[in-house]
Structures are given as structure tokens and as C-alpha cells.
Amino acid sequence: MSYDLKVVQRFGHEIEGGAQWPRPHCPVCREGCVSWDKPTATENNQSKELWDFPDWEPDWISGRMYVTGHCENGACEQLMAAVGTYRVGVSTAIETLNSQHHGEFYSEYYKLEYFSPPLVLLTLPEVVPGNVRAAVERASPILFADPSFAATALRGSVERFMSSQGIRAFNHKGTWQPLHTRIDTWEAETKSHRAAELLRAVKWIGNEGTHDGEPLTVNDVIDGLEFIEAAFHELFVAPEITERMQAVNQAKGRYQAKGPAPA
């Protein structure tokens, strides 16, 4: 799993107060990483009303939170903001404790929903068509708030990739072709069997996100992102690596590609 996806996966879970926050790549310069300030939490009215109950416990506290961060690249210093929910619960580590009640230590737990600008999900090869890249990026702003919708966006990236490969959504008779059929046609033409299997998996996850049923999780979408990453590596990165590897083996040592003739 790539560094970007590991960060996304970590943000898919609650972060305990005092724990180190993930440091995503800056979505603007994509060179620096983002460091975060201390979150600000505000208890909501429904939570405050519970204080009057005689059996009140700290883990009844809940509300909203926000946090700001900045890119550590001095040439960028992009500001970021994130919002989400928070709650109070029993601490899992003594060093993160915030308060003690009846012999138990409590911490705040933060669950992120939205980032502005959105997080980087994948760093795709430059040869991937721009509209395909844009479809993948559409998943980022909604990933944590609505994973099912994010999965639908990823499915759309596969549709766009098929179109970029000349596999149209409508055949010569004007009949609509399901995505599965388009992938089958593309696989038969290109013999890219492993990449086709990976893209089918993205399609299936996207189907679940599109249709009514059990809501998808962030981890489900991360699976789809990994499959997209692996498919494009198989198609665009691995062949170039293989070519250079074969050149080194043939030369029995370092191989230097021929550059342009000197002026």
C-alpha cells in the first residue's frame, strides 16, 4: 500500500487525543507533508443536556471538531482545514489521558469527515488520462462522509479509462454496453488480463456503492483505490521497468539510454 493510502486509511479511524496525527502529502505542491495543530472541540447541545442526569459519565460527551494544518514545504506552506466529530471515551494509553473519573482515564476521540483542500488519494502515472485522474480525485472530498458515493466515483474512473482506450459506451448499433462488457472487450483486444481483473474489482465495489444495500466503509473504497493503483502500475509502469531491466541484463551491467545528439 502506498504512503498516501496508508494516511487515508489512518484517517478512516478515530484518532485519540494526544496521539500523533497522520502527515499527508500536501494536496497543492505534493512535495511537503502536512503537520497539524491541536484540534478544537465543541460539545453540542444534546450532549450538554445529558449532564443533568444523575448517572452521567464522561463518555456521554460528544460534539463537533475542527483542526488546521500547514504544508511543511517552505516554498508552499499551504493551509489545510478538517472538520468532523468528537467524543469522549476511556483512554487506551496513559500518556494520552485528559481527565480521570471513577478511577478511569478518558480521552477525546476525533473522527474526520471533510478536508479542505481534499487529501491526495493516489499518485498516478503521468500518462493516465486527465479525465480518468479527475474521476479518481472526485472520491476524495466525500470519502469519509459517504464512502459509497466515493466508490461510485471510482467506478466512473474505469468508465472513462475504457473510453480513453477506444471502448465506447455505445456500440455501432447505438446499444449501451455495460462496463463489464467494455472491460471484457478491452481485455480481449489488449491481452491485459491482470489489469482487467483489477478494474473489474473496482467496478464491483462501485456497483455496491451505487445500489441500495449495506453502506460501504472507507476500507472498501481503499481496496478499490489499491486496485486502480495496481492496474495502472501494471499497464504503464511495469513495462518501462521491464524494458530497463532487460537492457541492463543484455548489457551485463549499467545501461544508459541514448539521449538527444549534442547541439
Side-chain angles (χ1 to χ4, degrees), residues 16-32:
E16 184 173 357
Q20 184 175 4
W21 279 52
R23 298 171 63 250
H25 281 124
C26 172
V28 175
C29 72
R30 302 209 175 197
E31 294 182 3

Side-chain angles (χ1 to χ4, degrees), residues 24-25 109 127 154 217 225 234:
H25 281 124
Y109 289 86
V127 294
L154 293 187
T217 67
L225 288 164
E234 181 83 12

Side-chain angles (χ1 to χ4, degrees), residues 40 44 49 81 96 202 210 226 228:
T40 299
N44 58 38
E49 291 173 356
T96 64
V202 178
T210 302
E226 278 198 281
I228 288 175

